[in-house]
Amino acid sequence: MTASTYVARKPGPDGNIHYTEEENAVWQTLMTRQLNCVQHRACNEYLTGLARLDLPRDRIPQLDEINRVLQPATGWRVARVPALISFDRFFELLASQQFPVATFIRRREDLDYLQEPDIFHELFGHCAMLTHPAFARFTHIYGQLGQNATPRERGFLARLYWFTVEFGLLNTLEGRRIYGGGILSSPGETQYAFESDKPEFRPFNMLDVLRTPYRIDIMQPIYYVLDSLDDLFAIAGMNIMAEVHKAQQMGLFAPTFTPKQTAV
């Protein structure tokens, strides 16, 4: 895991994180831009959760503000973490229904793309979905599985997380809609997923998902699509590790992109 060029902000003596005027301005820019971008593209469950969170437009919220909504809704909380954490810590937090949030925000020169998740990605992209019981349950089970998995098993589990929590799409009566935070927090990925003829949209199949390579530094060539967010309840109830072991035996699909070391 490479070192981050960002440093997470720590609370002051009053327990609050005091962001600079520029940091709050970046938040405001991201909020304004992405709220416009996800209209008629995000799933209704996400928009309902976002309304419940009522994120401020003009400043970065304190994590306690998020917890006051999440905890009564599904029992989840957000937890302040450094810019990068170990996989052990990541799975430990999810298993205890705590979603890790690095308390820094991208610089203006990184407005369009940031490889590591900042506070905008985590709060705007993921926390609204954590108000939904199916998404919350799936993420909890995922954390529990990851805690006990071997490093190789975690590699396969990472693909499940990538193609659901980060880059998942839904079929709805209104058409294809987003629930994955990696799309929801990225104007470029949102537009690409809806306006480009380049990506391939595949129906969700557990073994296929576990066997599909991805890269973190490109627009996604493949998205997996659920028919309902409640399908995540069924996925959480599957013997996921048995599917992981099948995928290990079968091996990965050939990548649909130019491979490099960041492919997993």
Side-chain angles (χ1 to χ4, degrees), residues 12 43 49 64 66-67 91 106 121 152 166-167 190 197 231 263:
C43 67
D64 283 348
I66 308 301
N67 289 336
F91 286 116
R106 67 196 73 181
H121 170 83
R152 185 162 182 254
E166 291 293 355
F167 288 92
T190 301
D197 59 0
D231 289 348

Side-chain angles (χ1 to χ4, degrees), residues 16 35 39 49 61 65-66 83 86 91 94 100 120 126 134 155 157 162 166 180-181 199 203 218 221 228-229 232:
N16 290 326
L35 281 170
Q39 293 304 315
E65 296 177 79
I66 308 301
S86 68
F91 286 116
L94 295 188
F120 180 77
H126 289 305
L157 285 174
W162 188 261
E166 291 293 355
I218 60 173
S228 165
L229 201 62
L232 290 175

Side-chain angles (χ1 to χ4, degrees), residues 123-136:
L123 298 188
F124 187 92
H126 289 305
C127 285
M129 290 306 307
L130 282 170
T131 66
H132 190 278
F135 186 92

Side-chain angles (χ1 to χ4, degrees), residues 84-156:
L84 293 173
I85 59 174
S86 68
F87 290 117
D88 284 343
R89 181 61 176 151
F90 174 72
F91 286 116
E92 176 189 2
L93 286 168
L94 295 188
S96 60
Q97 293 181 283
Q98 297 181 76
F99 199 81
V101 174
T103 48
F104 72 90
I105 194 160
R106 67 196 73 181
R107 292 181 282 267
R108 204 166 285 276
E109 59 266 29
D110 294 327
L111 211 60
D112 291 328
Y113 175 76
L114 185 67
Q115 188 165 300
E116 58 205 275
D118 69 348
I119 194 168
F120 180 77
H121 170 83
E122 305 291 27
L123 298 188
F124 187 92
H126 289 305
C127 285
M129 290 306 307
L130 282 170
T131 66
H132 190 278
F135 186 92
R137 173 67 176 161
F138 172 79
T139 309
H140 186 202
I141 293 294
Y142 180 85
Q144 292 176 324
L145 293 173
Q147 265 193 309
N148 299 311
T150 66
R152 185 162 182 254
E153 288 169 340
R154 286 178 175 181
F156 282 82

